[in-house]
Amino acid sequence: MLSGAEMVVRALQDEGVEYIFGYPGGAVLHIYDALFQQDTVNHILVRHEQAATHAADGYARSTGKPGVVLVTSGPGATNAITGIATAFMDSIPMVVLSGQVRSDWIGDDAFQETDMVGLSRPIVKHSFMVRDPRQIPDMIKKAFYIASTGRPGPVLVDIPKDHTAPHNTFPYEYPKKVKMRSYAPVTRGHSGQIRKAVDELLKAKRPVIYAGGGVIQGEASEALTALARKLNFPVTNTLMGLGAYPGTDEQFLGMLGMHGTYEANMAMHNADVILAAGARLDDRVTNNTKKFCPGAKIVHIDIDPASISKNVAAHIPIVGPVGQVLDEMLAMLDEQGSVGTDTKSLERWWQEIAGWREVHGLRFETNEQGPMKPQQVVQALYKATKGDAYITSDVGQHQMFAAQYYLYDRPRRWINSGGLGTMGFGLPAAMGVQFAHPDAVVACVTGEGSIQMNIQELSTCLQYGLPIKIININNQALGMVRQWQDMQYGGRHSQSYMESLPDFVKLAESYGHVGMMVEKIEDLDSAMEEAFALKDRLVFMDIYVDPTEHVYPMHIADGSMRDMWLSKTERT
Amino acid sequence: MRRIISILMENEPGALSRVVGLFSQRGYNIETLTVAPTEDETLSRLTMTTTGDEKKIEQITKHLNKLIEVVKLVDLTEGAHIEREIMLMKVKATGAQRAEVKRTVDIFRGQIVDVTATVYTVQLTGTTDKLEAFIAAIGETQVLEVVRSGVSGISRGEKVLSL
């Protein structure tokens, strides 16, 4: 016989949960008491509930397993909202347990009451409100199942305090299987559609594989890589898809979209067949959808039917798990013996791509006398970590530089808030990654704007001894806002400055960490080496860079994929 | 284009708010909405009318289908169907108008379900078009109060929406 609170904890144990990120409060005290009396589910105490959700999110992104969050009612729950929305936009599996006031007080504006099911409705895949303690095992089972199957996403379980009371006990049995008549995610793509897609790919003269975060979520990187190599097709990844295809591979064109490489965007615009795999053709990729890839037939694989033909109509839609669909494509190619692509056309296509790469690869200008460039910081980070770190990032220019200049050879190594663009994501996400991979090198690329949005987590990092390396690319400005103001608002830098910055070195030290400041390019490599040599310490590297630098290439608003600014003065 | 979407969904608290929330959150428009339990008390039947081009309707049905509580969904306007709406109306009925209102109600095959010295309460069932034609025939100045149920619908023939 278990109380509701004990059932919550037992269900987490039965789900195999290692870590739960949270913050206690009145409505969840019974659950915290039950957590205290066991030692298989490790509770990580953050300093703000938003950080709990991002940490759970980082854990989920780097492992593929759902991240788990526990917060109290009212402000605890509302603080979690940004992190839930972040996970929702990027389809990250997450289970959020929120406390609620006692059931007979609901609706009375009780202390710390908020309608969390209502508040979170547009940003969760599903939500449950416990109405009877006996529902707890079943609801938690369903929450994990829904969060991690189909198109993953966050699921909320709201638990009124009286339903966890220690004096009410019930028999406990954790369901082995979930049966829901109204939820059956697709498990296979339609073979006829897959056949049609393969035929289209084989006819292609100027193909591009455009792979997104779904390939990573769907564990389909191997199948994608095998297919691309077999067909000898160029591959581009979205911001969410980086690492789905090896970043150092010759067939990789780099990231596409608003800040994608010249060669990736040109290849997309000139393609005759595009294989969109686990990508949702969102506005940061397509630019003006009316001018998007005018000559291309689009084969679109997605597990979510609502993603297909939402922004751009697909010629061959395939609803299914991207891994299974790609495997079936590979099997069809194997069956017919020779691959049978138009190799002559492909050769010409690769020559064309080589031309774009040569003329306009990623580049930036350095200035021997002037301040160092943010791109150089990412390059130094790549060198110091031998390209093998987990990199989390915040949001802004530094995020784009980390996406462009760090080459991700493996999935789940690049952890960023792509859809919602949440500043403050990087540090707590890095905590989740470090918990999941205690021996791995984890670095958080951030800026002095973003890092201050969850800086309090330096305290959590001290408590749990997390040796994260914070790469603070400090340009004393909200760089991306400033860039748009330079380009579109006549250089009027409305509120995009960052004055009165703390001394980050002292700040890090006051939290018991190591702080380092780097101002000169000649000190950068040695400082990086020194920082990463401190294997058991968190190091906060405050690195001063050129505040006037912009991210390029950059799509020209309302243009096509090929319309780009390549520097402050050159455009296509 | 006007569509009638009919949904079988779990008869659970919060299910309706998810359907309605989806419409406001994604900028879709609900024109009418009716919902009630079915003969199977675990299920509710919801009928809504909405408008949009093909692409929008496709997105609406896809997103509705994604809601966990939605068990089955059909766009009734895709095939032959029957639609009905019930309207209760209070109409000014004095002097010569009393007979005139009665005649109009008869023509539309409505019923007068309550009477006072000055007011008729009329009940009328039919398609949205018919109800609107009746309001126009009565003349808006005569109308005191209107309450409409919103559209309910069912497909013609042997096709059924069930589990």
Side-chain angles (χ1 to χ4, degrees):
Chain A
M1 300 289 274
L2 299 180
S3 71
E6 287 165 337
M7 287 199 278
V8 169
V9 175
R10 266 295 290 280
L12 296 178
Q13 290 171 338
D14 286 340
E15 238 359 277
V17 172
E18 301 172 275
Y19 291 106
I20 175 165
F21 301 89
Y23 204 101
V28 285
L29 281 176
H30 297 321
I31 300 174
Y32 271 86
D33 195 46
L35 275 172
F36 189 83
Q37 299 176 52
Q38 56 86 51
D39 53 12
T40 53
V41 178
N42 298 295
H43 181 273
I44 306 303
L45 178 67
V46 293
R47 299 297 180 269
H48 187 289
E49 290 88 350
Q50 183 190 348
T53 51
H54 292 329
D57 184 321
Y59 176 89
R61 288 181 204 237
S62 69
T63 61
K65 294 189 267 184
V68 188
V69 178
L70 174 59
V71 293
T72 192
S73 64
T78 56
N79 278 347
I81 287 281
T82 302
I84 299 172
T86 303
F88 181 73
M89 284 292 269
D90 290 343
S91 310
I92 304 304
M94 180 184 287
V95 173
V96 180
L97 308 175
S98 56
Q100 183 54 274
V101 300
R102 21 188 287 207
S103 54
D104 57 331
W105 285 1
I106 289 177
D108 294 350
D109 301 323
F111 176 65
Q112 293 197 326
E113 179 185 357
T114 190
D115 172 14
M116 186 55 179
V117 168
L119 264 178
S120 64
R121 191 181 306 113
I123 51 163
V124 293
K125 187 172 170 187
H126 195 55
S127 48
F128 295 98
M129 155 81 83
V130 175
R131 286 168 204 281
D132 183 310
R134 280 169 281 248
Q135 294 177 312
I136 287 172
D138 189 52
M139 278 185 177
I140 291 183
K141 178 78 186 175
K142 281 180 178 161
F144 277 90
Y145 177 69
I146 293 170
S148 54
T149 51
R151 180 178 180 172
V155 177
L156 176 91
V157 185
D158 203 34
I159 314 173
K161 186 173 184 183
D162 51 328
H163 296 332
T164 57
H167 55 271
N168 284 334
T169 60
F170 306 91
Y172 170 88
E173 195 188 347
Y174 200 59
K176 288 193 179 62
K177 277 190 133 179
V178 175
K179 256 187 87 179
M180 295 177 78
R181 60 182 173 185
S182 55
Y183 176 69
V186 275
T187 53
R188 295 191 66 81
H190 187 277
S191 288
Q193 289 293 92
I194 299 174
R195 180 75 250 175
K196 259 167 71 183
V198 168
D199 291 344
E200 199 61 50
L201 293 177
L202 292 178
K203 278 190 287 182
K205 295 184 189 320
R206 298 183 309 280
V208 178
I209 297 176
Y210 145 48
V215 173
I216 293 174
Q217 293 292 323
E219 305 288 354
S221 298
E222 261 181 54
L224 176 85
T225 307
L227 184 75
R229 289 198 176 137
K230 191 179 268 281
L231 296 168
N232 188 30
F233 283 5
V235 183
T236 176
N237 284 341
T238 66
L239 179 67
M240 288 305 299
L242 292 173
Y245 190 83
T248 53
D249 191 272
E250 277 194 347
Q251 281 170 244
F252 187 57
L253 305 181
M255 180 171 75
L256 82 168
M258 181 175 277
H259 293 296
T261 65
Y262 179 75
E263 51 267 39
N265 286 343
M266 288 302 280
M268 285 290 286
H269 185 83
N270 291 287
D272 67 342
V273 177
I274 291 170
L275 173 60
R280 59 188 176 93
L281 294 114
D282 87 304
D283 56 80
R284 301 291 106 159
V285 161
T286 59
N287 212 359
N288 185 340
T289 50
K290 290 196 184 74
K291 300 175 188 166
F292 178 74
C293 304
K297 279 210 163 170
I298 296 168
V299 178
H300 192 177
I301 311 169
D302 205 295
I303 196 154
D304 178 5
S307 278
I308 288 175
S309 299
K310 180 175 67 182
N311 297 335
V312 176
H315 299 87
I316 305 181
I318 305 172
V319 178
V322 62
Q324 180 271 328
V325 173
L326 292 175
D327 281 339
E328 195 164 328
M329 285 181 167
L330 279 165
M332 282 177 186
L333 290 173
D334 283 342
E335 235 169 70
Q336 63 184 46
S338 70
V339 172
T341 46
D342 183 347
T343 46
K344 271 215 177 110
S345 298
L346 280 180
E347 207 174 299
R348 272 199 302 275
W349 181 227
W350 274 114
Q351 276 166 10
E352 210 171 333
I353 290 170
W356 291 325
R357 271 178 170 160
E358 227 167 82
V359 186
H360 288 296
L362 277 182
R363 65 199 157 90
F364 58 93
E365 274 167 36
T366 55
N367 178 352
E368 295 292 319
Q369 265 69 53
M372 76 177 100
K373 296 290 184 174
Q375 296 94 326
Q376 292 176 296
V377 178
V378 177
Q379 287 176 331
L381 174 66
Y382 185 71
K383 209 164 102 188
T385 57
K386 301 179 183 63
D388 197 29
Y390 286 85
I391 305 293
T392 72
S393 99
D394 269 303
V395 170
Q397 285 185 324
H398 65 268
Q399 177 190 24
M400 292 301 121
F401 291 134
Q404 292 175 330
Y405 289 91
Y406 201 102
L407 305 175
Y408 303 91
D409 273 337
R410 279 191 271 171
R412 303 197 181 280
R413 292 306 183 98
W414 163 242
I415 312 278
N416 86 128
S417 166
L420 197 68
T422 308
M423 289 173 73
F425 174 81
L427 176 57
M431 295 176 352
V433 175
Q434 191 80 74
F435 277 114
H437 310 276
D439 300 324
V441 176
V442 181
C444 165
V445 177
T446 183
E448 82 292 337
S450 286
I451 192 68
Q452 291 190 84
M453 285 209 186
N454 266 320
I455 192 90
Q456 77 286 347
E457 295 308 313
L458 286 174
S459 173
T460 311
C461 293
L462 178 66
Q463 181 173 343
Y464 296 97
L466 302 175
I468 295 162
K469 304 298 179 276
I470 296 171
I471 312 299
N472 187 39
I473 300 183
N474 190 337
N475 60 359
Q476 307 113 71
L478 300 177
M480 192 57 93
V481 172
R482 192 186 172 109
Q483 173 169 346
W484 282 55
Q485 289 170 337
D486 284 339
M487 295 173 78
Q488 295 173 23
Y489 297 89
R492 294 183 295 280
H493 295 156
S494 179
Q495 305 299 317
S496 58
Y497 54 87
M498 268 282 145
E499 279 176 7
S500 307
L501 286 175
D503 178 334
F504 285 111
V505 172
K506 279 192 189 151
L507 183 80
E509 285 169 357
S510 82
Y511 275 108
H513 302 304
V514 179
M516 289 168 70
M517 186 164 80
V518 186
E519 285 180 298
K520 295 193 186 106
I521 185 69
E522 54 268 32
D523 300 333
L524 183 60
D525 282 334
S526 57
M528 284 269 181
E529 265 172 47
E530 196 186 321
F532 282 95
L534 293 168
K535 292 203 184 305
D536 54 353
R537 298 296 298 277
L538 183 148
V539 182
F540 192 117
M541 297 187 76
D542 188 21
I543 306 172
Y544 281 80
V545 299
D546 185 353
T548 66
E549 187 66 7
H550 286 181
V551 182
Y552 293 109
M554 181 173 176
H555 267 157
I556 296 167
D558 285 325
S560 69
M561 286 293 283
R562 72 173 167 188
D563 297 320
M564 290 169 267
W565 285 102
L566 301 170
S567 72
K568 284 182 185 173
T569 51
E570 306 156 85
R571 51 168 292 173
T572 52
Chain B
M1 204 171 140
R2 176 173 174 270
R3 300 295 185 119
I4 305 171
I5 295 171
S6 200
I7 299 172
L8 269 185
M9 62 182 196
E10 301 288 355
N11 185 11
E12 277 171 11
L16 177 62
S17 64
R18 256 184 253 277
V19 171
V20 175
L22 173 71
F23 274 73
S24 62
Q25 151 200 351
R26 295 198 179 261
Y28 309 142
N29 186 33
I30 300 178
E31 280 175 8
T32 72
L33 175 73
T34 74
V35 59
T38 64
E39 81 289 358
D40 173 350
E41 62 183 24
T42 67
L43 288 171
S44 291
R45 175 83 174 235
L46 182 151
T47 312
M48 61 167 67
T49 54
T50 181
T51 51
D53 57 20
E54 197 110 337
K55 192 182 155 210
K56 193 174 220 170
I57 300 294
E58 185 181 318
Q59 279 291 311
I60 289 175
T61 54
K62 280 174 168 178
H63 281 292
L64 283 170
N65 262 316
K66 274 175 71 177
L67 295 177
I68 307 287
E69 282 116 340
V70 169
V71 185
K72 274 198 174 170
L73 178 153
V74 64
D75 177 352
L76 289 174
T77 25
E78 274 181 352
H81 64 278
I82 297 158
E83 61 167 286
R84 289 291 179 271
E85 198 176 346
I86 186 164
M87 174 165 72
L88 297 172
M89 180 194 271
K90 282 192 175 168
V91 186
K92 218 186 283 171
T94 48
Q97 278 161 357
R98 233 172 139 78
E100 182 57 31
V101 168
K102 174 79 175 68
R103 265 198 300 277
T104 312
V105 170
D106 289 342
I107 291 167
F108 280 83
R109 269 170 278 164
Q111 293 150 295
I112 294 170
V113 292
D114 193 34
V115 179
T116 72
T118 56
V119 170
Y120 280 158
T121 301
V122 178
Q123 172 188 311
L124 187 68
T125 309
T127 62
T128 303
D129 282 353
K130 177 178 162 183
L131 302 191
E132 271 155 19
F134 178 74
I135 295 172
I138 287 285
E140 274 175 36
T141 52
Q142 301 294 109
V143 176
L144 299 171
E145 185 181 350
V146 171
V147 51
R148 291 167 66 162
S149 64
V151 174
S152 273
I154 200 162
S155 57
R156 281 193 184 275
E158 294 183 1
K159 229 176 10 185
V160 291
L161 182 64
S162 68
L163 290 185

